[in-house]
Amino acid sequence: MFFKYADTIKEVSVQVLGNNVSNSLDDGIEVVGANDVEVIENDVEGSGDDGINVLGFAGFYTEEAPVEESFAKLYEGYGWPYFNAIVDKNNVTTSGGDGIESRGFDNLIVTDNVVTDSTANGLYVSGFNNGNTLVGGNTFNGFDIGGHFESGTI
C-alpha cells in the first residue's frame, strides 16, 4: 500500500478567510491533507517559517511510493478525491521561510497575493508530483527568486 492513511482519506474542505496572524514561531497559516482548500484575504506577518503553507496529498505517501507513478492514478482507482487549492488576495510580510509554499495539489491557483521580504522564495511549489498551477497578479518584493517550481504544469 502506498498511502499510510488510506482508510481515512475523505473529502475535506478547509477555508481560511480574513485572518490576521503575526509573530508565529512556525508557519503563519498551515493546511495539511485537505483536498479542497481556500486561503483568502489573510494578513500574515513575522512567521518563523513559511507565511502560508498548504500541503495536499504530500503527507500521505510512504517512502516506498513510486516517484514515477501518478498519484492521480493511484487514488482515482480507490475513489479518492482530487486535491485543489486556491491561495488568493493574501498579504505576507517577513516570513522566515517561503512567503507561500505548496505541495501535492492536482490544481493550484495562486493569485493576487502580495509577498514581501521573506527569507526564501516568494512562492515555492515544492515536491516531485504537482499538477496544474495557475499563477497571476501576484507581487513579490525583496527576493532573489520570486517563484520556484519543482514540478507540475504552470
Side-chain angles (χ1 to χ4, degrees), residues 1-3 5-11 69-83:
M1 171 167 288
F2 298 118
F3 288 83
Y5 308 111
D7 295 333
T8 62
I9 294 178
K10 308 233 184 305
E11 292 193 31
E69 183 67 44
S70 165
F71 277 96
K73 289 179 187 174
L74 287 172
Y75 60 73
E76 196 172 76
Y78 293 96
W80 295 340
Y82 282 90
F83 287 77

Side-chain angles (χ1 to χ4, degrees), residues 10-151:
K10 308 233 184 305
E11 292 193 31
V12 177
S13 296
V14 173
Q15 293 181 321
V16 183
L17 309 172
N19 296 283
N20 293 310
V21 180
S22 61
N23 301 318
S24 63
L25 296 176
D26 199 357
D27 296 331
I29 295 171
E30 182 176 79
V31 179
V32 179
N35 67 294
D36 183 16
V37 177
E38 294 179 2
V39 179
I40 299 173
E41 294 183 346
N42 298 284
D43 292 314
V44 180
E45 182 177 1
S47 59
D49 194 12
D50 301 323
I52 297 172
N53 188 1
V54 289
L55 307 175
F57 54 71
F60 296 100
Y61 62 87
T62 66
E63 291 79 25
E64 293 83 30
V67 172
E68 68 279 356
E69 183 67 44
S70 165
F71 277 96
K73 289 179 187 174
L74 287 172
Y75 60 73
E76 196 172 76
Y78 293 96
W80 295 340
Y82 282 90
F83 287 77
N84 305 299
I86 298 171
V87 180
D88 183 50
K89 295 181 182 76
N90 299 285
N91 292 306
V92 179
T93 307
T94 59
S95 59
D98 300 302
I100 300 169
E101 181 180 0
S102 178
R103 175 175 64 228
F105 284 96
D106 297 297
N107 298 292
L108 171 66
I109 298 172
V110 181
T111 52
D112 298 322
N113 299 284
V114 177
V115 181
T116 305
D117 295 329
S118 295
T119 302
N121 306 289
L123 170 63
Y124 181 31
V125 180
S126 64
F128 59 85
N129 204 335
N130 293 293
N132 301 309
T133 301
L134 172 66
V135 178
N138 299 288
T139 302
F140 302 119
N141 295 311
F143 301 95
D144 290 334
I145 300 174
H148 180 178
F149 303 89
E150 290 187 342
S151 67

